[in-house]
Amino acid sequence: MERIQKIIAASGAASRRTAEEWILQGRVKVNGETISRPSHPVEPSDRIEIDGRPLPAPEEKVYFLLNKPAGVVTTTADDKNRKTVVDLIDTDKRIFPVGRLDYDTTGALILTNDGDFMNALIHPRHHVEKEYSVKVEGLLRKEESARIGRGLDVEDFHTLPCRILSVRYDQAKTSTSLKIIIEEGKYHQIKRMFEIVGHPVIKLSRIRFGTLTCEGLSPGEYRRLKPHEIKQLWNLSRFGNPER
Ligand code: URA
C-alpha cells in the first residue's frame, strides 16, 4: 500500500504539493469514490482518476550525470532566458537538478525526475560528500585552512567540519589551489567560507559528488547513471560516508 499523494507524484502528473491540492479539492477518485486525504492508501490494482481521467502509468525514472560548464544556470527555467542545465540534456522527462552549482561553477551535477532520490541526496543530515577543486586569491595560511576545517560562522549559519587537502601555491605566489570536501550544500557555501577568511574564490569546480566523478566527460557532456551507481548513492544517503 502507498499513499495516493505519492502515487500521483510518481506518475509524473503533478508534484506532491499539487497532488495534495487536487485531493483536497475533491478532484481525485479511487475505484469511483472521491477521496479527501493525501494519505489515503492505494494498492497497485486500484483505479485512480483525476477529473474523471485515468492516472497515467508511472513515469520511468531517469538519472543523469552532467559535467556542468560555466555560463549555465542550475534551474529548470530561468526568468532571464539564460541557458539552463536542463537544456543541455536530451530527454522528454521532467528532470530537475540535485542541489545547485553557481552560474560560473563547473563540474559534477546529477539530474533526475526521482524526487525521493533528490531529497535523500541533498538532506543535510545524510552527509553525502562533495569534493571541490578551488583556486583562491592570495596565499592561504595553515591557520586559515584550519579555521575553515573546524567549521566557521558564515552569516546565518555555522558550517560543519570539513577537510582541505592538496594545498599548492601558484608560481607567482598570488593564489592558492586546493581541494575541499564538504558534506553540506548551503547557498554559495564555498565562496562564502573562503571570503570570510579573506581569500575570495577565483575558480570553482565540483570534482566529486558522493561516489561520482566527471571522469570521461568534457564540460557540457553528460551520461546516464548505471544501476550500481544509483544504488551506491542511495546507500550513501542512508548510511553516510563509511569513513566517518
Ligand atoms: N559553493 C559555492 O560557493 N558555489 C557552488 O557552486 C558550489 C558550492
Side-chain angles (χ1 to χ4, degrees):
M1 296 283 234
E2 285 277 19
R3 292 159 60 92
I4 177 81
Q5 181 189 17
K6 188 170 176 193
I7 297 294
I8 296 175
S11 75
S15 66
R16 281 200 194 192
R17 185 176 302 166
T18 305
E20 180 174 1
E21 281 168 15
W22 288 351
I23 295 160
L24 297 177
Q25 289 162 0
R27 294 167 61 183
V28 179
K29 282 187 182 161
V30 176
N31 300 328
E33 297 227 350
T34 302
I35 51 111
S36 57
R37 281 181 303 125
S39 61
H40 185 95
V42 284
E43 297 205 50
S45 59
D46 286 339
R47 197 164 36 84
I48 301 169
E49 288 167 289
I50 297 165
D51 294 335
R53 279 191 295 275
L55 185 71
E59 191 174 57
E60 179 210 352
K61 298 280 187 274
V62 290
Y63 306 85
F64 298 98
L65 172 65
L66 169 71
N67 185 351
K68 179 193 171 295
V72 177
V73 258
T74 306
T75 177
T76 48
D78 184 48
D79 48 12
K80 295 190 198 126
N81 250 341
R82 291 171 298 181
K83 191 175 252 199
T84 75
V85 287
V86 171
D87 295 334
L88 298 177
I89 296 191
D90 185 14
T91 177
D92 58 356
K93 303 285 184 299
R94 287 193 306 166
I95 54 169
F96 35 82
V98 175
R100 55 168 299 165
L101 292 176
D102 294 337
Y103 189 68
D104 53 352
T105 302
T106 60
L109 184 72
I110 297 173
L111 295 107
T112 180
N113 57 351
D114 185 340
D116 291 334
F117 186 70
M118 176 187 78
N119 288 331
L121 289 178
I122 61 175
H123 198 292
R125 247 196 329 218
H126 293 174
H127 298 293
V128 175
E129 286 190 350
K130 275 79 84 175
E131 182 167 351
Y132 292 85
S133 167
V134 194
K135 187 170 179 187
V136 299
E137 282 179 19
L139 303 186
L140 184 77
R141 286 174 306 168
K142 272 220 170 88
E143 315 85 82
E144 293 162 338
S145 99
R147 202 178 143 206
I148 291 179
R150 282 194 299 272
L152 74 181
D153 281 325
V154 176
E155 293 154 35
D156 46 330
F157 69 97
H158 192 82
T159 63
L160 289 175
C162 64
R163 281 180 285 156
I164 292 188
L165 39 141
S166 314
V167 178
R168 282 183 293 109
Y169 296 146
D170 77 337
Q171 290 227 319
K173 296 227 182 324
T174 53
S175 65
T176 307
S177 297
L178 56 99
K179 306 247 161 52
I180 181 167
I181 301 173
I182 62 173
E183 297 180 355
E184 45 190 352
K186 300 270 177 18
Y187 185 60
H188 290 331
Q189 176 153 350
I190 307 265
K191 289 179 184 165
R192 287 153 83 192
M193 284 157 96
F194 284 96
E195 187 82 45
I196 297 274
V197 297
H199 297 278
V201 167
I202 303 169
K203 215 168 165 197
L204 184 58
S205 180
R206 182 151 71 193
I207 54 175
R208 180 167 65 84
F209 185 103
T211 43
L212 296 178
T213 70
C214 285
E215 204 187 316
L217 295 176
S218 302
E221 287 185 345
Y222 65 91
R223 66 172 175 83
R224 280 189 184 247
L225 293 190
K226 303 191 175 83
H228 79 271
E229 292 176 320
I230 298 166
K231 204 164 158 195
Q232 274 174 343
L233 288 166
W234 268 120
N235 284 342
L236 266 191
S237 75
R238 286 194 187 111
F239 307 121
N241 169 16
E243 286 168 21
R244 286 181 96 242

